[in-house]
Amino acid sequence: MKVRAIDAKGDWDFGRGRQSYKTDLDAIMQLNVTHIRSWYLNCFFDLLAGIDWKNLLGQKQTAPKIRDAVRRELLKIDGVTGVLNVSLSIDEDRALIVQYTETTIYGTISGSTLVL
């Protein structure tokens, strides 16, 4: 598995040849971030991809729906074999942080993604 690398700002990384790509476990970890941050109906080549953040954020009692949506997105990633845990928290700036533990073809990994 190989995906184009993204930098700390979320922009694609270009101009460094093979170093502009991530492979294996690093690729899965990056795909986790991009899948979680993807908005439903916002990808021009796959309008059904992503999470319906517009309708989930800002409403009450949506935490279970958000966890289920994140779980579904993570399971779409090639190499992810299962999602063990998804938890949510809000930081001091009221941004949503998604934490997850999943099993992959490379082993079990945990990660955290800032959504907004």
Side-chain angles (χ1 to χ4, degrees):
M1 171 182 306
K2 184 188 295 188
V3 297
R4 173 140 331 255
I6 56 173
D7 63 18
K9 294 188 236 175
D11 295 326
W12 281 344
D13 192 8
F14 290 103
R16 298 183 314 137
R18 289 184 180 170
Q19 293 177 352
S20 294
Y21 292 87
K22 292 190 177 186
T23 60
D24 303 328
L25 183 59
D26 289 334
I28 290 177
M29 292 172 67
Q30 180 176 296
L31 288 170
N32 288 337
V33 173
T34 56
H35 273 250
I36 290 171
R37 289 183 178 167
S38 295
W39 288 61
Y40 180 69
L41 298 176
N42 196 40
C43 180
F44 70 91
F45 58 86
D46 186 359
L47 290 176
L48 300 180
I51 297 173
D52 192 7
W53 292 116
K54 181 179 178 183
N55 289 314
L56 291 173
L57 294 175
Q59 295 181 10
K60 296 180 181 180
Q61 308 299 323
T62 59
K65 292 178 184 178
I66 292 172
R67 283 192 294 272
D68 289 344
V70 168
R71 186 179 309 273
R72 280 192 305 275
E73 277 302 307
L74 292 176
L75 287 171
K76 291 179 185 177
I77 299 170
D78 287 340
V80 173
T81 57
V83 178
L84 304 175
N85 184 44
V86 175
S87 61
L88 309 171
S89 59
I90 305 292
D91 72 4
E92 64 277 357
D93 296 322
R94 295 180 46 122
L96 176 66
I97 300 168
V98 177
Q99 295 142 332
Y100 52 87
T101 304
E102 64 188 0
T103 55
T104 72
I105 58 176
Y106 305 106
T108 302
I109 60 172
S110 295
S112 176
T113 301
L114 182 69
V115 175
L116 296 174

